[in-house]
Amino acid sequence: MAGPVAFFALFFAYPVVAIVGRGLKAEGVWQFGRVGEVLGDPDILDVLWFTTWQAVASTALTLLIALPAAYVFARFDFPGKQLLRAVVTVPFVLPTVVVGTAFLAMLGRGGLLDELWGVRLDTTVWAILLAHVFFNYAVVVRTVGGLWSQLDPRQEEAARVLGAGRFAAWRRVTLPALVPAVAAAALMVFLFTFTSFGVVQILGGPAYSTLEVEIYRQTAQLLDLPTAAVLTLTQLVAVGAILAVHAWTVRRRETALKLVDPAQTARRPRGAGQWALLGGVLATVVVLILLPLGVLVERSLDGPDGYGFTYYRALQSAAASGGTFLVPPLEAVWNSLQYALVATAIAVAVGGLAAAALTRRAGRLVRGFDALLMLPLGVSAVTVGFGFLITLNRPPLDLRTSWILVPLAQALVGVPFVVRTMLPVLRAVDSRLREVAAVLGASPLRAWREVDLPMVRRALLVAAGFAFAVSLGEFGATVFIARPDNPTLPVAVARLLGRAGDLNYGQAMALSTILMVVCAVSLLVLERVRTDRSGEF
Amino acid sequence: MSTTKKFAVTTLAAALGVSTLAACGGSGDDESSTGSKSKTVTLVSHDSFAASDAVLKAFTKETGYTVKVLKSGDAGAALNQEILTKGSPRGDVFFGVDNTLLSRALDNDLFTPYEAKGLDNVPAALRLDGDKHRVTPIDTGDICVNYDKKYFADKKLAPPKSFDDLAKPAYKNLLVTENAGNSSPGLGFLLGTVAQYGDDSWKGYWKKLKNNGVKVVDSWEQAYNEEFSGSAGGKKAKADRPLVVSYASSPPVEVLYAEPQPKEAPTGVATGTCFRQTEFAGLLKGAKNEAGGKALIDFLIGKKFQEDMPLNMFVNPVIKDAKLPELFTEHGVVIDKPHTVAPDKIADNREQWVKSWSSLVLK
């Protein structure tokens, strides 16, 4: 408990409090008048309203579309399942500017819908909502699916034997067990969409603005710290309220479950209904995820003289000519992987410890800490980045120009994922098992290793996968934090898109494709990690 | 509980250990930035800074200092970070304050005055800080409307030349520009219209533009790569706007980054719609390596760096005797009468202008 608390206090609470404090304190006097001033501005109120309702709508839509997929991934075996599970996570790592391109190609002028039915959705709220589903699909599939695959199907079967109908059995047995995971996934999707930045800007057009965009403008562009501080506080209050609602729904629901090995629960679909469900889910994945990704791949291959690898070759030759603008793509891959590994290590360590501590106790203080862990998802990268600047500027912690800041900032976003994925599973572990182990003479550490670890290993891998993906695709903090020039893949993509010229555009698409492949391969490797029963981490 | 704690500490230590190990691999930071007798000079800049390795090596050869470049976001964000860390800067020299942000930097007293060697080689008109020498001009660039040559040739329509033209019915629904609130070309274009029509009439002009179907998107990337029919991305996206707010240097860039290189640029520049941007560098107050910083500023307005700049950052050199690369002389245009607005006037009105513009154009 002490480790995660210290980590959060130092790298999150302190910087954020400092930057908000600097905004609200002028000449040593607290300027609370600014709060009323800013919140009385009708424009700001519009932004707040839009931010909230689009996040609610996006979350609902994501759950609606992704929950059947969670079921399919948990309960069915079909060829290519692992590959597909990795692929649906790919959107998560793509820079929004690239996703915007893909979505415009589908929804915009001359896009798929336009060709088929003459429908154009760009600069409408639908484009924003669909893109949010695209981004967050994996969150639901992985968190809910992860737990679902470990629920013992025999419990539901027992209910059926005792005379419950199919739906009743599901509603009485499986659903209550899933609630914590669904709530956790919904919470994360909400926080992500609530603080959405690029998607709203690119697909909604300048007429739509979220709180996050406003905070960025006030902080990074206008340096109007007082207004930014009020907005940050507003964001914190809103996120706090959501967390409270979440805690209240989940509190009574987390019960010990009988978890089994996921390998035993999945089987081939049987009967027309199940095949139809599988087909429906796969069709959704194809339309919603593979098509936009396919657009990017297609554009990366669509060279000036027909299809080919012109742009991929250009990546190498341009980089070879030297200069501080371009790095060899392999170097960017390597930079990205390094950051992601470090960020994942930090996130898994901090998040794992926090989850373990949160499982043991359920006091009010602990619950507060649980909520606190989620806050980084609801605070804008620019607030944290600028907070780092004014707090980590003195020895022994002058980290302002240190590379470690980047993975630290990324880990802040990764930790909530780790906690949310592991906690439902850890809490589902029957504590009597631990007690038995203790009675038999195992030390707490040994008991944890023998009882908890085998049960949460799957969740741990899912969590690590998320932390890794978050870091791989993270763009905000990476840009704000001054770093010696070793760009990550998303940064390199953004740079290329920021220049005119056919080759630059094509290389940006090629690099995005490389980023997708790196992400998918990394996740596949992670899925394959199998620790044997007695193994260590 | 105590064992849990112990376990916690060990794991954390292990994780941090692992991460440190993992990172020892190759983060090019070979020395701590706190060495007082350091042979490193640190340049803080925005993400668009670029220079060729050869030129940076030449600097090291001449002076003995190695340049370390730190980038932190776009021009506005990078400058604001410097303002926040005033007095204990992250580097020695800051590059990338342009004339739209200059007053903010000067009012915040970021820089130690330094008269660079070779400054007389820079036209006085560009030295916006007069003889106080807090900042040194390094490059200029023009924000102008670009047009898609093919579109206008096919339509047998003359491309627009001026702001007035853009509001004419012949060019209805053809122009895409950027959000002036968070895109620097978008702001430049707005400032250009303010310079042309004055404080009172620019809003009237924008009303006309709006009625003439101007489209506003959020960023240059989106305007140029998605909406503009003259760019590679735009062609693939079946873009239908042959006019975009971009830079005077964009056509040469289109030539340079094409395979094979065309004889003629696919895009042209509407020369009457340009707003002049000048970028400056300054020696940061509290710099750890002042001598190195001064040497670096001298170098930035030296011939080597000035002649290297155009093909790396696509901007124009400021010194009189720098030779432009062939690509620029052949495919670029020289903007004789760019529009300008005085830095202090920008500082005083910028927010108000952007606000009025937003409610006028975006709502």
Side-chain angles (χ1 to χ4, degrees):
Chain A
M1 184 91 178
V5 169
F7 174 84
F8 262 77
L10 184 59
F11 294 117
F12 178 70
Y14 174 42
V16 171
V17 167
I19 191 94
V20 170
R22 168 133 5 157
L24 288 180
K25 216 170 170 171
E27 284 90 49
V29 186
W30 290 100
Q31 309 278 332
F32 289 122
R34 287 305 300 259
V35 178
E37 227 172 279
V38 174
L39 295 181
D41 184 342
D43 286 350
I44 297 286
L45 287 178
D46 280 350
V47 167
L48 189 59
W49 168 240
F50 173 72
T51 307
T52 312
W53 84 253
Q54 64 80 23
V56 170
S58 299
T59 309
L61 196 63
T62 308
L63 287 175
L64 192 73
I65 295 179
L67 277 176
Y71 173 76
V72 164
F73 276 98
R75 285 286 186 247
F76 293 159
D77 250 337
F78 49 91
K81 180 168 141 178
Q82 285 206 322
L83 179 66
L84 208 57
R85 206 199 325 250
V87 169
V88 297
T89 316
V90 166
F92 217 75
V93 307
L94 287 179
T96 41
V97 67
V98 177
V99 172
T101 298
F103 264 79
L104 284 172
M106 305 249 312
L107 309 171
R109 168 202 47 253
L112 209 68
L113 288 178
D114 198 9
E115 302 276 305
L116 291 174
W117 301 292
V119 180
R120 285 185 58 180
L121 292 177
D122 57 326
T123 68
T124 67
V125 103
W126 283 105
I128 297 174
L129 297 185
L130 283 174
H132 281 160
V133 175
F134 170 83
F135 267 114
N136 295 304
Y137 192 80
V139 176
V140 178
V141 169
R142 290 176 86 99
T143 34
V144 179
L147 182 69
W148 210 331
S149 65
Q150 288 184 279
L151 292 180
D152 194 339
R154 284 170 305 186
Q155 290 181 313
E156 208 176 302
E157 283 155 21
R160 297 286 306 281
V161 170
L162 294 173
R166 176 178 301 211
F167 180 70
W170 181 82
R171 202 173 58 93
R172 293 286 173 79
V173 178
T174 309
L175 185 63
L178 282 179
V179 162
V182 174
L187 175 69
M188 284 192 286
V189 175
F190 181 88
L191 290 177
F192 262 111
T193 51
F194 188 78
T195 55
S196 183
F197 185 104
V199 169
V200 175
Q201 295 282 286
I202 293 169
L203 293 169
Y208 293 104
S209 180
T210 58
L211 215 52
E212 185 88 1
V213 174
E214 236 4 82
I215 290 173
Y216 168 79
R217 273 198 50 221
Q218 300 291 352
T219 310
Q221 301 297 325
L222 302 172
L223 203 61
D224 181 347
L225 292 181
T227 304
V230 174
L231 294 177
T232 303
L233 286 176
T234 311
Q235 214 179 18
L236 280 170
V237 167
V239 170
I242 292 295
L243 290 173
V245 170
H246 173 260
W248 180 75
T249 32
V250 175
R251 189 174 311 165
R252 299 261 172 274
R253 301 296 188 110
E254 282 177 341
T255 47
L257 306 168
K258 191 162 173 304
L259 296 183
V260 293
D261 183 9
Q264 300 167 10
T265 63
R267 48 176 181 69
R268 292 194 76 81
R270 279 193 299 248
Q274 294 192 346
W275 279 107
L277 180 65
L278 176 62
V281 165
L282 292 181
T284 314
V285 169
V286 167
V287 172
L288 193 78
I289 292 178
L290 296 185
L291 266 181
L293 296 181
V295 167
L296 296 178
V297 178
E298 188 264 335
R299 286 195 184 177
S300 77
L301 295 169
D302 181 11
D305 35 16
Y307 286 97
F309 287 95
T310 316
Y311 295 137
Y312 292 85
R313 275 196 299 275
L315 274 175
Q316 287 165 314
S317 59
S321 63
T324 56
F325 172 72
L326 271 179
V327 286
L330 280 178
E331 201 177 300
V333 171
W334 176 230
N335 287 335
S336 281
L337 285 175
Q338 273 183 311
Y339 279 139
L341 279 171
V342 178
T344 308
I346 299 172
V348 167
V350 174
L353 288 174
L358 290 170
T359 329
R360 309 264 181 223
R361 300 276 86 77
R364 187 163 300 176
L365 192 76
V366 170
R367 270 209 303 277
F369 177 58
D370 184 5
L372 188 74
L373 284 174
M374 300 302 294
L375 282 182
L377 286 184
V379 174
S380 65
V382 65
T383 305
V384 177
F386 276 53
F388 277 171
L389 267 187
I390 60 170
T391 49
L392 306 177
N393 57 353
R394 284 180 295 275
L397 271 179
D398 188 357
L399 299 177
R400 286 176 312 172
T401 60
S402 161
W403 62 269
I404 189 78
L405 266 195
V406 174
L408 275 174
Q410 293 171 347
L412 278 177
V413 182
V415 167
F417 275 96
V418 176
V419 174
R420 287 276 78 82
T421 6
M422 289 183 66
L423 211 52
V425 181
L426 273 174
R427 283 190 176 153
V429 174
D430 196 333
S431 62
R432 283 172 306 183
L433 287 174
R434 297 184 195 115
E435 285 155 18
V436 169
V439 168
L440 294 174
S443 67
L445 180 55
R446 177 85 193 276
W448 191 87
R449 211 180 68 193
E450 300 290 347
V451 176
D452 295 47
L453 187 58
M455 303 252 196
V456 298
R457 205 175 43 223
R458 164 124 204 97
L460 191 72
L461 285 178
V462 170
F466 266 134
F468 194 83
V470 164
S471 166
L472 212 52
E474 201 280 334
F475 183 68
T478 321
V479 169
F480 284 127
I481 292 166
R483 67 273 164 219
D485 200 33
N486 43 2
T488 57
L489 279 168
V491 170
V493 169
R495 268 188 205 176
L496 285 163
L497 282 176
R499 291 188 155 193
D502 175 41
L503 282 178
N504 285 324
Y505 182 82
Q507 287 180 76
M509 295 296 133
L511 262 190
S512 302
T513 308
I514 292 175
L515 176 61
M516 287 189 243
V517 173
V518 168
C519 170
V521 169
S522 308
L523 289 170
L524 274 176
V525 169
L526 207 70
E527 298 257 333
R528 299 238 171 242
V529 173
R530 286 273 179 271
T531 40
D532 61 74
R533 279 282 178 216
S534 59
E536 305 285 334
F537 268 103
Chain B
M1 201 62 206
S2 70
T3 3
T4 320
K5 236 185 220 152
K6 212 177 278 171
F7 167 67
V9 174
T10 340
T11 322
L12 194 66
L16 288 174
V18 167
S19 50
T20 325
L21 279 178
C24 281
S27 60
D29 201 3
D30 48 354
E31 53 179 307
S32 74
S33 51
T34 50
S36 55
K37 272 273 174 264
S38 166
K39 289 310 273 174
T40 305
V41 58
T42 307
L43 176 74
V44 186
S45 187
H46 49 62
D47 284 337
S48 311
F49 176 83
S52 58
D53 283 338
V55 163
L56 293 180
K57 284 200 179 80
F59 173 73
T60 307
K61 210 166 175 171
E62 280 170 33
T63 62
Y65 297 110
T66 317
V67 185
K68 179 175 157 195
V69 180
L70 289 179
K71 301 184 180 183
S72 54
D74 61 35
L79 173 70
N80 287 343
Q81 290 186 48
E82 275 322 302
I83 291 172
L84 273 182
T85 59
K86 206 162 72 178
S88 61
R90 296 169 298 174
D92 308 306
V93 174
F94 183 81
F95 165 81
V97 194
D98 71 4
N99 47 324
T100 65
L101 295 162
L102 183 62
S103 288
R104 189 187 297 171
L106 295 180
D107 293 347
N108 276 290
D109 200 18
L110 278 187
F111 302 116
T112 307
Y114 170 64
E115 186 173 352
K117 289 189 184 70
L119 192 65
D120 19 1
N121 220 346
V122 178
L126 294 175
R127 298 185 222 160
L128 295 180
D129 195 32
D131 41 22
K132 291 196 183 132
H133 301 305
R134 289 169 294 181
V135 290
T136 307
I138 307 293
D139 67 72
T140 65
D142 295 298
I143 293 164
C144 318
V145 169
N146 282 203
Y147 60 87
D148 175 3
K149 283 180 180 168
K150 187 175 176 309
Y151 175 93
F152 289 101
D154 292 350
K155 282 264 186 302
K156 299 197 171 47
L157 178 67
K161 287 194 181 64
S162 61
F163 286 127
D164 278 341
D165 286 351
L166 295 173
K168 287 177 182 161
Y171 304 105
K172 198 173 172 65
N173 298 336
L174 301 188
L175 174 67
V176 58
T177 182
E178 299 87 3
N179 186 350
N182 50 9
S183 151
S184 73
L187 178 68
F189 185 62
L190 168 62
L191 293 174
T193 61
V194 171
Q196 165 99 12
Y197 297 104
D199 289 354
D200 318 319
S201 313
W202 68 266
K203 287 181 200 156
Y205 172 74
W206 275 94
K207 277 199 189 94
K208 277 193 239 162
L209 263 194
K210 195 181 175 181
N211 292 335
N212 211 26
V214 64
K215 180 170 188 173
V216 183
V217 294
D218 211 69
S219 63
W220 178 90
E221 284 81 356
Q222 210 182 334
Y224 199 87
N225 292 324
E226 300 285 349
E227 302 290 340
F228 178 49
S229 59
S231 74
K235 283 191 187 73
K236 286 174 190 171
K238 305 190 183 72
D240 57 2
R241 300 242 161 196
L243 297 172
V244 65
V245 172
S246 186
Y247 296 89
S249 60
S250 303
V253 180
E254 284 288 346
V255 175
L256 179 65
Y257 288 103
E259 182 83 44
Q261 291 197 357
K263 286 204 169 35
E264 195 193 337
T267 56
V269 172
T271 48
T273 60
C274 296
F275 176 79
R276 171 65 49 96
Q277 260 185 316
T278 308
E279 279 193 300
F280 301 86
L283 184 63
L284 286 160
K285 264 209 169 118
K288 290 195 181 74
N289 184 356
E290 259 196 19
K294 287 175 179 172
L296 182 59
I297 292 179
D298 295 344
F299 184 78
L300 291 180
I301 57 167
K303 206 164 168 176
K304 270 202 190 86
F305 185 84
Q306 290 279 314
E307 292 189 344
D308 176 66
M309 235 172 18
L311 289 182
N312 278 294
M313 288 194 268
F314 309 105
V315 289
N316 297 308
V318 290
I319 58 172
K320 295 164 191 160
D321 58 346
K323 264 187 55 187
L324 272 176
E326 205 174 298
L327 184 84
F328 271 59
T329 48
E330 203 162 316
H331 301 285
V333 281
V334 177
I335 308 300
D336 293 329
K337 296 197 183 64
H339 298 280
T340 54
V341 181
D344 51 348
K345 192 174 170 185
I346 297 175
D348 293 342
N349 300 296
R350 169 200 194 123
E351 220 167 317
Q352 199 44 54
W353 285 338
V354 170
K355 235 190 163 102
S356 315
W357 177 88
S358 301
S359 50
L360 190 79
V361 183
L362 299 182
K363 297 283 180 291

